[in-house]
Amino acid sequence: MMRSPPPPQSQGNSNYGSPYGGQAAGGGGGGGGASFVPGFGGFMNDPTAQMGYQVGKTALNAGQEMFEQNVNRYVSIPALKHYFNVSTPYVLRKLLLVLFPWRHRPWSREQRPSSSSSASPDANYYFLPPRDDINSPDMYIPVMAIVTYILLSTLLAGLRGAFHPEVMGLTATTAFVVVLLEILGLKFGTYILSISNDSQLLDLVAYSGYKFVGVIVTLVVSETFNRGQGTGGWAGWTIFTYTFSANAFFLLRSLKYVLLPDSSSTHPASGSMHTVARSQRTRRTQFLFIYSYIVQFVFMWILSRQDGNPTQAKAAAAKIMGS
C-alpha cells in the first residue's frame, strides 16, 4: 500500500523547531556546558529559586513527554508533519488546481528513493512532501479553509443583518460534524476495502478537506451576485454546480492513485500494493464514484446553505435565544 514518507531526519543533534538551529539547548558559547539561568536582578541566584526553576523545568519536560506518548497512540506526529510541509508557491498552485483541475496532467505523485538505499536496485521509494509535489495531499489548506469558512459565514451573516451570538458556534458545529462524519465514513470505507495503511487513511482525510475551498468560493460569489440574498437563485446554483464539479473531478483523479494503485509503476512506493484483485478493484471504483460525487454533493450543499432572508434569520435567532 502507498504511504507517505516520514519527515527527513536532521543530522547530528535534533534542533527541529528551534529558531536557533546551531545552538544547543544546554549551553552558551563559553559556559562550559552549564545551563543558562536568567538573573532577574539577582533573584535567581537564590538556591531556593534555582531549585524551583529546576523542578518546574523537569515537570514541564515530563508533561511534554507524556503528552507526546498519549497523542502518538492515535496519531503519528511525524506523519502529520509531512502533511504540513508546504510552501507559498505550493499553496497558490494547489488552490488553482482544486478550482481548475480540468487540464492538469499528470495526476500521479512523484517518488524518491530512501537515502539509505538509493544505490540499491531494490531501494524503497517514498512520496515527496507537498512542497515538492503539487499532486501530494496536504492538511494545511483544509485546516485553513475550515477556519476561513467559519469566519466568512459569520461575516456574511452580519452583513445581511442576520447575525446572532450563536451563528459562529452553529457554523463551526456544522463544519466539524460534517468533517467527523466524513472521517468516520472514510474509516469504515478503508475497513471494507481492506486498506490497513495509516498513511492512506491520512491521505483520504486530507483530500476530504478540499471541499471547503469550493464552498468558500460559492459563498463569496453568490453573495456578490445575489446582493445579500444568500446562496439561492441562479447565480448561487451556477457557482455551486461549478465548484462541486471541479471538486468531484479533482477527487476522482487524485484518489485514483490512492485507492487504485498502478501496478505498472517503475518504482512502487514502499508499502504500496502491486496488484489489486478484480473484485476489490470494482468495489474501490464504486466507492470512489460514490464518495467523489454523491457524498461530496450532500456535504457541500449543507455547508453552502445560507439564509438570505433577514426576517426569517432573525426569527430563527430569537427562537434560539428563547430556548
Side-chain angles (χ1 to χ4, degrees):
M1 299 182 190
M2 299 183 184
R3 66 183 178 89
S4 300
Q9 300 294 327
S10 58
Q11 301 294 330
N13 294 331
S14 175
N15 295 308
Y16 182 80
S18 172
Y20 312 105
Q23 296 182 0
S35 60
F36 171 76
V37 179
F40 296 109
F43 170 75
M44 291 303 294
N45 292 329
D46 182 69
T48 304
Q50 291 183 1
M51 183 177 66
Y53 174 80
Q54 295 296 334
V55 171
K57 183 178 180 181
T58 303
L60 180 63
N61 292 336
Q64 181 179 0
E65 183 179 357
M66 182 180 299
F67 173 79
E68 292 179 353
Q69 290 177 353
N70 292 331
V71 171
N72 283 330
R73 293 180 182 179
Y74 307 99
V75 181
S76 175
I77 300 300
L80 284 180
K81 289 180 180 179
H82 167 82
Y83 291 93
F84 286 93
N85 186 9
V86 300
S87 61
T88 301
Y90 164 83
V91 172
L92 297 177
R93 292 172 58 200
K94 192 72 169 190
L95 291 175
L96 291 176
L97 176 59
V98 173
L99 296 174
F100 307 99
W102 315 110
R103 302 185 62 180
H104 177 70
R105 297 289 188 280
W107 289 93
S108 58
R109 295 172 61 180
E110 298 182 13
Q111 305 171 18
R112 67 180 176 191
S114 60
S115 58
S116 60
S117 57
S118 57
S120 172
D122 298 329
N124 293 326
Y125 283 78
Y126 295 95
F127 289 131
L128 292 178
R131 66 182 302 128
D132 298 325
D133 182 13
I134 187 63
N135 294 322
S136 178
D138 72 281
M139 291 188 182
Y140 175 81
I141 292 178
V143 169
M144 297 305 297
I146 292 175
V147 175
T148 303
Y149 164 76
I150 296 173
L151 298 178
L152 177 64
S153 298
T154 306
L155 173 63
L156 294 179
L159 294 176
R160 290 194 299 267
F163 177 81
H164 52 90
E166 287 80 9
V167 66
M168 179 176 288
L170 293 175
T171 303
T173 301
T174 302
F176 290 134
V177 167
V178 167
V179 172
L180 179 61
L181 290 177
E182 190 163 356
I183 292 177
L184 292 177
L186 289 173
K187 186 67 176 178
F188 177 75
T190 56
Y191 173 76
I192 296 297
L193 299 176
S194 301
I195 299 177
S196 58
N197 191 293
D198 292 337
S199 179
Q200 284 185 305
L201 176 60
L202 292 176
D203 287 346
L204 294 175
V205 172
Y207 281 119
S208 68
Y210 288 114
K211 71 169 69 62
F212 285 91
V213 176
V215 171
I216 292 172
V217 173
T218 301
L219 295 178
V220 173
V221 176
S222 299
E223 194 72 19
T224 302
F225 282 92
N226 289 337
R227 299 182 180 276
Q229 297 302 313
T231 54
W234 66 269
W237 279 105
T238 300
I239 188 62
F240 172 80
T241 301
Y242 175 82
T243 54
F244 158 71
S245 301
N247 181 73
F249 184 83
F250 167 78
L251 290 178
L252 192 66
R253 292 296 188 182
S254 300
L255 291 177
K256 175 183 177 183
Y257 294 93
V258 178
L259 299 179
L260 301 173
D262 186 7
S263 60
S264 61
S265 175
T266 305
H267 302 296
S270 177
S272 65
M273 290 188 303
H274 296 276
T275 58
V276 178
R278 181 180 298 272
S279 60
Q280 192 68 271
R281 188 179 186 88
T282 302
R283 294 165 62 185
R284 293 191 179 194
T285 303
Q286 295 172 350
F287 173 82
L288 180 60
F289 176 82
I290 294 174
Y291 174 74
S292 299
Y293 284 90
I294 300 178
V295 174
Q296 296 303 310
F297 178 85
V298 173
F299 285 153
M300 289 185 68
W301 180 79
I302 293 175
L303 293 170
S304 61
R305 282 196 311 165
Q306 294 287 319
D307 191 356
N309 191 328
T311 303
Q312 295 180 359
K314 290 180 179 180
K319 183 178 180 180
I320 294 175
M321 294 290 291
S323 59

